[in-house]
Amino acid sequence: MRLHSRSIVSTLTLFLSASAVASLPQTLWMRSLSSGISDYMGSSLASGKLFLAAGAPWDSEFGPNNGSVLIYRGQYSLQYQQVIWGRWQVGLGGDEQLQFGYSMAGQDHLLYVGAPGDDDGSGSVIMIDTSTSPEPTYVDSIENPASAYLAINDQFGYSIDIDGDWMVIGAPGCMNDSGAAWVFRNTHGSQGWMLHTELVSPWPQENARFGHDVAIHDGRIAVGAPYRDELNWWDDSMSAIGAVTIFELDSQTWGYAWNQVEWFQASDIRTDNMHYGWSVEVLDHQVFAGAPNASHTNGTANAGRVHVLTYDSRVDLWYQSPSLILESDTPHSGMGWGSSISTKDTTLLIGAPFADHLNDSSGLVTVWCRGEMMWTWHETLECNVHTWKAALGQAVHIDDERALAGAPQAADGQNDWAGIIAWWDRGLFECPSFDLDDARDIKTIDFKRSLENLQTKKSMNQ
């Protein structure tokens, strides 16, 4: 175990920022056919085989904040069948404050939906088969593994992610908001998803909310604790600076084991309430940590940033560098840059739900592409059905076919704060592929530099 907020400065120490000069309108936008005021549809997003889904966790049609999920089924085209699915449909109760749809993950034809308010806040995750006709059907539920005695307000299901046979579910309210995350393994038998292990912070603290967001990919798990105070050996001087813990799968151990390998806090420009780890994502040898209230490197307060944590296999070392930061080149206070993150192959989406992109605080999403030496801004996505403070980018999701962004505070033409979803075909902004084996040590450089200048710097760095 290594504990630190190590800063390794590369030979190229320029910050990478996104341009807002160009923007790409959505392919289409979607709203609920049965929307209500303050449903906040689009707060969570997921997709799978022939379906996509959006959570409306504050839908109160069947009880205050009971929540619902909108499932769109069909071929990968603009024609989808919309189904509104609520937990009440399978007789699992109409409890108030379920917040069903607060988080989601999709795999094949199955949709996993978090209801962190279920059972007095103990929480649960519901499995839905989206392929059945005429409507999706309930499959099973994953209950909070903690005992009922300890589980009240655990918020199990606050965050979910799946990769292959592994699932990780966050419970940030556990133990006075210290937080926990639970790992399950799919046995592909009658027992289905079986509890494997509980993950906790190596440096637990009340109100840290470890498990606020979780991510898993290729044998690595990242868990955010965005309210963790600064950790040093003499004084907790900064509040809610945030932290991210990385775990790796040891497949050589009998029964497998998830071992903690790193614990990070921001290495530079640390401020109170920056919420490092508010959003997390894992892609190959990198972990992304959103800090939506962090100060911009130019000094703009509360603009937000995304930190890129990188593993170098040559020295068996995880590190973060001041040069490995993704941020806006038109920052302003309160834009929420890094509130959401999603990755697929060589493409990264970053949400900034309160950005003043169109002078109406409607929010935006930026697309970044990975290359041999850098992550570079590629495109800015906007929804031309924007409303004031729509919060576009509060949730983002990317798969093989499309990019999705939720605008849960948008008016949908019928109700305020009903929420909408924006969709962009990936063919409109496809990132080039590259061989990851040739990019084991990724550094960042200013994307605005000319290619000639870039080549010169790369040559000097060899």
Side-chain angles (χ1 to χ4, degrees):
M1 182 187 72
R2 305 199 264 297
L3 163 68
H4 51 69
S5 55
R6 182 185 294 117
S7 172
I8 297 181
V9 181
S10 67
T11 55
L12 300 178
T13 56
L14 300 172
F15 292 98
L16 187 60
S17 58
S19 170
V21 174
S23 59
L24 184 66
Q26 82 283 355
T27 304
L28 77 161
W29 67 280
M30 296 175 285
R31 65 173 180 85
S32 171
L33 297 179
S34 179
S35 67
I37 297 175
S38 301
D39 283 357
Y40 292 95
M41 193 269 285
S43 294
S44 60
L45 300 165
S47 66
K49 185 177 181 180
L50 299 181
F51 82 89
L52 58 89
W58 286 276
D59 183 351
S60 297
E61 184 174 355
F62 291 85
N65 299 333
N66 187 296
S68 66
V69 170
L70 282 79
I71 301 172
Y72 299 86
R73 305 192 297 179
Q75 298 295 321
Y76 286 132
S77 69
L78 306 187
Q79 301 301 317
Y80 268 76
Q81 172 198 12
Q82 181 181 130
V83 180
I84 300 174
W85 205 99
R87 180 169 177 168
W88 60 85
Q89 290 179 281
V90 292
L92 296 179
D95 297 342
E96 298 181 358
Q97 312 299 328
L98 279 176
Q99 295 183 342
F100 178 80
Y102 195 91
S103 62
M104 290 191 298
Q107 185 181 58
D108 196 19
H109 59 278
L110 294 176
L111 175 65
Y112 300 81
V113 183
D118 189 18
D119 194 16
D120 294 324
S122 173
S124 64
V125 172
I126 307 301
M127 298 167 55
I128 303 170
D129 187 341
T130 67
S131 66
T132 55
S133 180
E135 292 186 347
T137 55
Y138 166 79
V139 176
D140 199 359
S141 61
I142 303 174
E143 303 298 328
N144 188 345
S147 69
Y149 164 67
L150 296 173
I152 294 177
N153 295 323
D154 275 9
Q155 297 181 305
F156 176 81
Y158 196 91
S159 55
I160 312 170
D161 200 15
I162 299 175
D163 185 48
D165 291 340
W166 296 97
M167 178 193 306
V168 57
I169 301 174
C174 179
M175 299 300 292
N176 296 318
D177 287 338
S178 174
W182 298 89
V183 180
F184 295 80
R185 188 181 180 199
N186 194 345
T187 62
H188 295 285
S190 59
Q191 294 179 316
W193 289 97
M194 296 292 294
L195 176 64
H196 185 270
T197 191
E198 179 187 14
L199 306 178
V200 296
S201 170
W203 306 98
Q205 180 189 69
E206 288 189 4
N207 303 314
R209 294 190 61 78
F210 177 92
H212 179 276
D213 197 20
V214 296
I216 181 171
H217 182 256
D218 198 21
R220 292 191 173 105
I221 291 175
V223 182
Y227 292 88
R228 181 59 169 91
D229 294 340
E230 182 182 30
L231 178 66
N232 52 48
W233 303 117
W234 59 91
D235 177 33
D236 286 345
S237 57
M238 288 187 177
S239 61
I241 185 175
V244 171
T245 308
I246 302 173
F247 301 85
E248 291 185 351
L249 178 63
D250 180 1
S251 60
Q252 302 303 312
T253 300
W254 183 86
Y256 299 101
W258 286 93
N259 301 320
Q260 185 224 321
V261 295
E262 280 293 4
W263 189 91
F264 282 103
Q265 290 190 309
S267 60
D268 66 307
I269 318 181
R270 298 147 70 95
T271 58
D272 287 332
N273 302 306
M274 67 185 292
H275 298 318
Y276 178 92
W278 182 274
S279 57
V280 293
E281 184 73 301
V282 181
L283 181 65
D284 300 321
H285 66 301
Q286 294 190 313
V287 169
F288 302 85
N293 286 346
S295 294
H296 193 278
T297 53
N298 71 1
T300 303
N302 302 320
R305 295 178 293 177
V306 172
H307 293 250
V308 186
L309 316 177
T310 301
Y311 174 71
D312 190 335
S313 61
R314 295 168 297 185
V315 291
D316 188 25
L317 177 70
W318 280 93
Y319 67 90
Q320 66 176 333
S321 165
S323 64
L324 290 169
I325 294 175
L326 312 180
E327 55 187 359
S328 172
D329 74 340
T330 56
H332 64 80
S333 181
M335 68 189 300
W337 180 278
S339 292
S340 59
I341 311 169
S342 183
T343 60
K344 182 68 175 178
D345 303 324
T346 59
T347 306
L348 167 70
L349 301 183
I350 299 175
F354 308 109
D356 241 348
H357 180 54
L358 299 171
N359 299 318
D360 56 6
S361 300
S362 59
L364 59 82
V365 177
T366 53
V367 181
W368 299 74
C369 293
R370 179 170 64 179
E372 182 179 348
M373 294 288 291
M374 55 189 152
W375 280 95
T376 58
W377 171 85
H378 185 61
E379 191 70 72
T380 296
L381 307 180
E382 66 172 29
C383 180
N384 57 22
V385 188
H386 50 267
T387 58
W388 184 66
K389 293 190 175 179
L392 179 72
Q394 186 72 53
V396 293
H397 177 73
I398 187 168
D399 60 24
D400 291 331
E401 303 291 331
R402 69 190 69 76
L404 301 172
Q409 296 180 194
D412 68 351
Q414 296 179 349
N415 295 289
D416 292 336
W417 306 295
I420 64 172
I421 315 166
W423 160 338
W424 298 265
D425 287 331
R426 279 193 67 174
L428 298 175
F429 59 85
E430 194 67 40
C431 289
S433 61
F434 86 110
D435 188 351
L436 180 62
D437 292 336
D438 294 334
R440 303 173 71 181
D441 185 15
I442 292 184
K443 302 177 176 65
T444 56
I445 62 172
D446 189 338
F447 79 96
K448 293 181 179 179
R449 299 278 178 170
S450 67
L451 179 61
E452 179 179 356
N453 199 13
L454 169 60
Q455 295 295 339
T456 300
K457 288 183 176 291
K458 288 174 64 176
S459 299
M460 293 173 61
N461 193 38
Q462 293 178 347

